[in-house]
Amino acid sequence: MPANRPSVLVVEDEAAQREVLAYNLQAEGYEVARAENGDDALLLVEEAPPDVIILDWMLPGVSGIEICRRLKSRTETRSIPVIMLSARSEEGDRVRGLETGADDYVVKPYSVVELMARVRTQLRRIRPTTVGMRLEFEDIVLDSETHKVTRNSKPIKLGPTEFRLLATFMDKPGRVWSREQLLDRVWGRDIYVDTRTVDVHVGRLRKALCTHGGSNPVRTVRSAGYALG
Ligand code: CA
C-alpha cells in the first residue's frame, strides 16, 4: 500500500453535489474530507491540512472567495491548491476567483471527469511522485490514473465495474464489504441494482485476476459479503 494517499477536502453546502464529488474522489483513491460551510472548512484545514481543496463559491456564511483569501494569506495554508467551483460564468467572476489566489476555477455545471482531471493536475504540481496513485496488494498493482491493472507484472483486463470493485477492495485489504456497501460504493446509491449483480461482477473480477494463473484473492465471507485477502 502507498504510505499516504492524497487527500481532498470538499467544501460544498449542497449535500447531493458534495456526495457525488466525494464518491468520485474516493473511487479514484483519494482520502476525502467534507465540509458544508466555511467555518468547518477552516477548522478541518487546521486539523488536517488536505492536499487539495475543492471549494464552492456560494456557501452560507463565509463565502468561498473569503475562505480562499484567508487560506492564501496564511503561510501554513498558502501552498494548498484550491479549485474554486462557481455557478457564475462571467469572465469578470472568473478573474475575481483567480485573483483571490484560487489555483483553478471550474464553472457549474461541471463535468465530474473534467474536475477529477483538474484535481490530478493540482496534485501533480505539489506531489509529482504520488500521482497516478498505485494501490498494491500482494502481486496485484492498480494504477488509478492510467486505469491499468497488473498481476505478477502481467496486464489484467477489467471492465469499468470490475475496475471500481477492485479499487474498492484494494483500498482496504482485509475489510469485509457487504453487497449493499459494494453497491453504494461501486454503482452509486441512486442506481437500482440487484445485489446479485454484485456476485456476477465479483465472479468476473476473480476470473480476470486469475487470467495468468495464481489463486483467487477475493474471499467470499459467508452471510457477510466479500473481502480482498
Ligand atoms: Ca453552494
Side-chain angles (χ1 to χ4, degrees):
M1 286 293 288
N4 53 344
R5 292 186 292 138
S7 56
V8 180
L9 170 61
V10 178
V11 191
E12 164 68 86
D13 57 313
E14 283 136 79
Q17 294 203 36
R18 193 169 62 237
E19 291 315 308
V20 166
L21 280 180
Y23 172 84
N24 280 280
L25 290 163
Q26 279 164 347
E28 297 230 351
Y30 302 110
E31 290 283 352
V32 178
R34 306 166 172 82
E36 48 186 280
N37 59 58
D39 291 321
D40 287 358
L42 291 168
L43 270 176
L44 275 171
V45 170
E46 211 165 288
E47 281 168 16
D51 292 307
V52 173
I53 301 173
I54 298 178
L55 178 60
D56 189 29
W57 177 317
M58 302 297 275
L59 292 168
V62 194
S63 75
I65 287 278
E66 181 53 29
I67 295 165
C68 188
R69 205 171 275 139
R70 288 190 204 172
L71 290 169
K72 293 297 178 185
S73 66
R74 285 191 218 144
T75 340
E76 319 85 74
T77 52
R78 182 172 297 154
S79 59
I80 305 174
V82 174
I83 302 174
M84 185 83 85
L85 300 181
S86 171
R88 303 161 185 241
S89 57
E90 291 87 14
E91 196 56 28
D93 286 326
R94 186 188 172 85
V95 169
R96 206 174 131 217
L98 293 172
E99 266 174 1
T100 60
D103 299 84
D104 202 352
Y105 183 93
V106 175
V107 175
K108 291 179 178 180
Y110 50 80
S111 125
V112 170
V113 174
E114 195 200 331
L115 185 53
M116 293 300 121
R118 305 269 189 116
V119 170
R120 284 196 296 272
T121 302
Q122 293 303 326
L123 275 170
R124 201 175 284 122
R125 272 185 41 211
I126 53 157
R127 293 165 54 147
T129 51
T130 56
V131 168
M133 271 167 292
R134 276 158 59 95
L135 295 174
E136 291 181 31
F137 175 78
E138 294 177 353
D139 55 355
I140 305 169
V141 178
L142 178 148
D143 185 317
S144 66
E145 191 170 35
T146 59
H147 273 233
K148 287 199 173 120
V149 174
T150 58
R151 184 167 190 193
N152 199 11
S153 308
K154 295 183 186 116
I156 298 288
K157 275 198 179 152
L158 295 179
T161 304
E162 286 72 34
F163 182 86
R164 288 166 90 91
L165 255 179
L166 182 62
T168 301
F169 285 134
M170 290 183 73
D171 186 22
K172 293 190 169 60
R175 168 178 169 168
V176 178
W177 297 85
S178 71
R179 289 172 179 79
E180 287 75 18
Q181 286 168 336
L182 289 172
L183 276 179
D184 265 6
R185 182 100 185 232
V186 177
W187 281 264
R189 65 192 68 192
D190 297 336
I191 301 162
Y192 178 76
V193 184
D194 194 274
T195 49
R196 275 169 303 184
T197 307
V198 176
D199 302 332
V200 172
H201 287 276
V202 168
R204 286 187 197 157
L205 173 62
R206 282 171 166 161
K207 199 172 160 212
L209 287 174
C210 298
T211 309
H212 311 291
S215 60
N216 159 42
V218 183
R219 268 189 306 135
T220 301
V221 183
R222 235 186 122 190
S223 70
Y226 296 103
L228 181 68

